């Protein structure tokens, strides 16, 4: 009786390392928002504007609706399997350990390299502002600071996330107020227009979908909420609710800022010769050089510190779950006796990030970005397949929309985005998965390691 009670209280994980359940839905919403970055369009606005034919707001509206289907699939599986590990955990239990392992292996690629990419981008940006300090020095500070925060505990990380969210929203609010004022008062303004949402003269479904595939990448990160399931007060429903709320909020913020920017320069002439800094140029029109620098600095700090912090939190939980199950060295599942965090996994991620920042930073972002997004998009595809297999085929629950139509739509959107990845990205990603297959076969067939799902 005592054993059964213990297993029930621990979600069937008696004897397994457990994390502290302290995250509320608002905490997870803040985490999701920070991971997606409320001001993400600042950094990629020029590309979105150009790819969409001058309809950046339409891109984010469609992208939000499209990603909602992925959020619904996460919510369904999260209620069924309230454990850490995200899609790795779901696929392992619903389909099989082999599929789950390869999904987790693919996720590792994205989640480990995402913070590295963010560190490199932000370090380069800050080096441009303060050239006396080398970019690698900023990178070291970012890695060490985020690793220490994550080791200290999810409560500390949550507090940092709240502060970061306030700062990002303040920056966005200043831009919105000054932007609206400029549109209404400046003699050169063409006023408010529907062109950023829909422009019949430039609308092309293929063009817009191509831009949506780029815009969808701005939403990558909300899925990180699923990695916090075992730290949630309501492990079954909390993460799913937080995903939907954070997706709705960030989608609205993306639409608002791109609409205002689109009205300030509806034809894109202001940044035609410098699309990389498009948003900062637009911000400069509305609020002068001070606002332009503020937006650029906010982007650098948000990506380099706060978003990277969220990414490190997510990957440490995935490594923790895979180590606990025996798919990776079990030492990764060790929990700090005081802070109740997966500190070995966190320190490992910090060490890897530091090495990669120093090794790859001099090559720029292109080399690193080849890997990023392949893992997350591949995991999303497996997520939707898992929902259909587990609920509609295996359990035959009869919920046609929730467990067949919705995941099929989500799969189609993600598949379109996956196909749009560059060929080098796909080749490098597939090579990484091939390495994972070899590792798994050696571990199972040669070393005879057993997997014991928590």
């Amino acid at each position: 009786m005592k054993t059964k009670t213990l297993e029930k209280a621990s979600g069937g994980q008696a004897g397994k390392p457990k994390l502290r359940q302290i995250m509320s839905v608002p905490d997870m919403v803040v985490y999701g928002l920070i991971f997606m970055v409320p001001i993400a369009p600042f950094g990629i606005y020029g590309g979105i504007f150009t790819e969409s034919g001058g309809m950046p707001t339409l891109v984010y509206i469609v992208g939000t609706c499209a990603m909602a289907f992925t959020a619904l699939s996460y919510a369904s599986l999260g209620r069924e399997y309230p454990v850490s590990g995200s899609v790795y955990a779901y696929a392992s239990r619903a389909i099989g350990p082999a599929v789950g392992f390869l999904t987790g292996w693919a996720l590792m690629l994205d989640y480990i390299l995402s913070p590295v990419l963010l560190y490199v981008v932000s370090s380069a940006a800050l080096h441009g502002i303060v050239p006396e300090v080398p970019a690698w020095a900023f990178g070291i500070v970012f890695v060490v600071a985020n690793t220490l925060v994550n080791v200290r505990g999810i409560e500390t990380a949550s507090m940092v996330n709240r502060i970061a969210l306030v700062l990002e929203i303040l920056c966005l609010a200043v831009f919105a107020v000054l932007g609206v004022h400029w549109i209404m008062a400046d003699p050169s303004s063409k006023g408010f227009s529907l062109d950023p949402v829909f422009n019949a003269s430039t609308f092309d479904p293929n063009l817009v979908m191509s831009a949506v595939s780029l815009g969808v990448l701005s939403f990558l990160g909300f899925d990180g909420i699923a990695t916090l399931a075992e730290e949630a007060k309501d492990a079954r429903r909390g993460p799913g609710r937080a995903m939907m709320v954070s997706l709705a909020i960030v989608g609205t913020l993306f639409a608002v800022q791109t609409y205002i920017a689109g009205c300030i320069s509806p034809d894109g002439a202001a940044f035609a010769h410098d699309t990389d800094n498009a948003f900062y140029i637009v911000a400069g029109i509305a609020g002068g050089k001070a606002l332009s620098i503020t937006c650029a600095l906010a982007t650098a700090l948000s990506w380099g510190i706060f978003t990277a912090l969220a990414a490190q939190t997510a990957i440490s939980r995935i490594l923790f779950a895979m180590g606990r199950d025996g798919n990776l060295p079990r030492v990764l599942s060790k929990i700090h006796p005081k802070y109740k965090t997966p500190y070995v996994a966190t320190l490992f991620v910090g060490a890897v990030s530091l090495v990669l920042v120093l090794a790859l930073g001099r090559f720029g972002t292109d080399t690193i970005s080849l890997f990023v997004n392949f893992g997350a998009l591949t995991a999303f595809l497996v997520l939707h397949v898992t929902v259909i297999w587990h609920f509609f085929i295996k359990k035959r629950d009869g919920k046609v929309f929730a467990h067949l139509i919705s995941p099929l739509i989500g799969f189609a959107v993600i598949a379109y985005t996956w196909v749009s990845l560059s060929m080098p990205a796909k080749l490098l990603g597939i090579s990484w998965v091939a390495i994972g297959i070899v590792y798994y076969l050696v571990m199972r067939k040669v070393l005879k390691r057993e997997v014991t799902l928590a």
Side-chain angles (χ1 to χ4, degrees), residues 42-63:
F42 283 16
I44 61 174
Y45 179 75
I48 294 290
F49 184 94
T50 302
E51 289 290 330
S52 65
M55 294 174 283
T57 307
L58 178 62
V59 167
Y60 285 109
I61 292 174
V62 174

Side-chain angles (χ1 to χ4, degrees), residues 128-447:
I129 297 174
V130 189
E132 295 80 11
V133 180
W136 58 263
F138 285 116
I140 292 176
V141 172
F142 289 158
V143 174
V144 172
N146 282 348
T147 300
L148 291 177
V149 169
N150 267 321
V151 169
R152 285 279 300 179
I154 197 68
E155 290 172 299
T156 304
S158 182
M159 178 184 67
V160 173
N161 287 339
R162 288 177 183 275
I163 295 172
L165 183 60
V166 170
L167 294 177
E168 289 184 34
I169 295 300
L170 281 175
C171 179
L172 181 55
V174 171
F175 167 75
V177 170
L178 293 179
V180 169
H181 178 266
W182 186 91
I183 294 170
M184 296 177 65
D186 195 277
S188 61
S189 169
K190 296 180 180 179
F192 293 102
S193 168
L194 287 177
D195 286 352
V197 181
F198 182 79
N199 187 336
S201 64
T202 61
F203 180 79
D204 180 344
N206 293 325
L207 191 66
V208 171
M209 283 308 298
S210 176
V212 167
S213 68
L214 177 60
V216 161
L217 301 179
S218 298
F219 294 98
L220 298 186
F222 82 95
D223 54 298
I225 294 174
T227 66
L228 304 178
E230 289 183 36
E231 292 160 280
K233 293 178 180 178
D234 183 355
R236 293 190 180 277
R237 294 178 177 80
R241 292 172 178 171
M243 282 186 193
M244 295 302 294
V245 173
S246 62
L247 184 62
I249 292 175
V250 84
T252 301
L253 294 177
F254 286 171
V256 168
Q257 62 196 274
T258 54
Y259 175 74
I260 294 173
C263 289
I264 293 174
S265 181
D267 57 1
F271 49 84
H273 301 294
D274 189 4
T275 55
D276 288 342
N277 294 298
F279 198 95
Y280 312 129
I281 293 172
V282 170
I285 294 173
K289 186 176 181 180
L291 181 59
S292 178
I293 294 176
T294 298
C295 289
L297 187 60
T299 302
L301 293 177
S302 296
W303 285 359
I305 298 180
F306 308 127
T307 303
L309 172 64
Q312 280 194 315
T313 301
I315 184 56
S316 64
R317 271 61 180 174
I318 292 174
L319 294 179
F320 161 78
M322 295 182 74
R324 183 175 62 182
D325 293 345
N327 275 312
L328 291 176
R330 292 190 185 275
V331 68
L332 293 172
S333 67
K334 283 186 173 294
I335 293 178
H336 196 284
K338 179 180 179 180
Y339 302 124
K340 302 302 179 185
T341 56
Y343 75 104
V344 174
T346 301
L347 291 173
F348 174 75
V349 172
V352 171
S353 297
L354 186 59
V355 170
L356 292 177
V357 165
L358 295 176
L360 300 179
R362 58 196 178 92
F363 293 108
T365 60
D366 290 343
T367 301
I368 309 173
S369 62
L370 286 176
F371 282 108
V372 176
N373 299 325
F374 177 92
L377 293 175
T378 300
F380 286 173
L381 293 175
V382 175
L383 171 80
H384 293 300
V385 171
T386 303
V387 170
I388 296 172
W389 171 257
H390 180 69
F391 292 105
F392 196 76
I393 297 176
K394 191 176 177 181
K395 295 184 71 172
R396 297 182 180 179
D397 64 1
K399 296 181 179 179
V400 178
F401 179 80
H403 298 148
L404 180 62
I405 296 176
S406 176
L408 281 176
I409 295 174
F411 184 93
V413 172
I414 300 303
Y416 184 93
T417 307
W418 192 97
V419 170
S420 71
L421 292 174
S422 68
M423 184 55 67
K426 283 183 262 193
L427 290 176
L428 289 171
I430 292 172
S431 298
W432 172 256
V433 173
I435 294 173
I437 292 174
V438 173
Y439 173 86
Y440 185 83
L441 290 175
V442 170
M443 186 172 58
R444 293 287 172 269
K445 303 300 182 182
V446 179
L447 302 179

Side-chain angles (χ1 to χ4, degrees), residues 77-92:
L77 288 169
R79 288 192 296 269
E80 194 81 354
Y81 304 110
V83 294
S84 290
S86 188
V87 190
Y88 155 74
Y90 307 151
S92 295

